[in-house]
Amino acid sequence: GRALPCSALPHQAMIMIGSLIIGSIVDRNKRYYRTTMFCFYLSFLWLFACSEKTLRGASFCASILALGFFVGPIQPITAELAVEVTFPADENAIVAVQMVFGNLFSAVLLPICNAARHLHLKEYGMRMDYVLLLALCGSGGFFFSTFDAPLLRLKSELAGADNDVQGSRSPLKKSGAAASSFDDEL
């Protein structure tokens, strides 16, 4: 097989590193939608690179690590986005629902992916499990691209800051990158 020492633990580490780095950027600029689409696009690209049967050694490892870096942040960013758009709903309930359905979907896909891994598209040199993963990533990105909802929690925080601090500068007032991204996302 293609199991290399670089593909398990370092891949998981890159998922965490990507989530921390990209997540901290999103925490500052509130660009949930753009960042998630960016991660979907690059995840698709790196997944496609990983599916190339001629890719070996360091190139395959680099593709696996880059895939982890960009696929990792999607779930935490969309969880935060779900909390933003469903405000004032309970944050824990929103994240729990997302995790339960994510795990359920993963459990449903497991036997499908297991069956598909033995099938090959010879004319493209690809295994069907990669085709299935590419289809899931592409359709997930496409479905997410239709998403359009206001960031209710941020709106509430900004409105509260404007009401609480009349005439003085509040850190939650619309200013700088957060304000412009807030306007862009709405």
Side-chain angles (χ1 to χ4, degrees):
R2 294 175 67 179
L4 299 172
C6 74
S7 61
L9 180 62
H11 175 72
Q12 291 297 322
M14 290 304 286
I15 287 173
M16 292 182 347
I17 292 167
S19 296
L20 289 171
I21 292 172
I22 295 175
S24 68
I25 293 168
V26 172
D27 283 343
R28 286 192 307 271
N29 69 19
K30 306 296 185 200
R31 292 187 172 156
Y32 300 100
Y33 176 79
R34 287 183 183 167
T35 305
T36 303
M37 289 306 299
F38 175 75
C39 288
F40 265 119
Y41 291 139
L42 288 176
S43 295
F44 187 87
L45 172 81
W46 288 111
L47 183 59
F48 187 76
C50 291
S51 70
E52 177 58 45
K53 287 182 87 170
T54 60
L55 198 62
R56 297 274 182 237
S59 298
F60 180 71
C61 286
S63 295
I64 288 288
L65 297 177
L67 173 62
F69 187 86
F70 291 107
V71 81
I74 293 173
Q75 192 279 330
I77 292 170
T78 56
E80 189 66 24
L81 179 59
V83 169
E84 284 281 346
V85 301
T86 59
F87 181 82
D90 179 39
E91 292 182 29
N92 294 324
I94 299 303
V95 172
V97 166
Q98 185 185 29
M99 296 210 42
V100 166
F101 278 96
N103 290 337
L104 177 64
F105 189 64
S106 294
V108 168
L109 285 178
L110 195 60
I112 296 169
C113 288
N114 189 43
R117 72 186 173 104
H118 300 293
L119 304 172
H120 296 275
L121 289 176
K122 292 182 186 188
E123 59 272 9
Y124 297 107
M126 292 178 70
R127 293 185 348 204
M128 280 301 293
D129 54 346
Y130 281 107
V131 173
L132 179 62
L133 290 172
L134 285 165
L136 287 170
C137 184
S139 59
F142 177 76
F143 181 76
F144 187 78
S145 73
T146 66
F147 180 79
D148 184 27
L151 304 178
L152 299 176
R153 182 173 65 178
L154 183 59
K155 271 187 176 181
S156 175
E157 290 172 357
L158 293 172
D162 286 341
N163 291 337
D164 291 343
V165 186
Q166 299 261 341
S168 68
R169 186 148 177 91
S170 166
L172 291 177
K173 276 195 171 184
K174 283 174 67 172
S175 64
S180 66
S181 65
F182 171 72
D183 293 335
D184 291 345
E185 291 288 318
L186 298 178

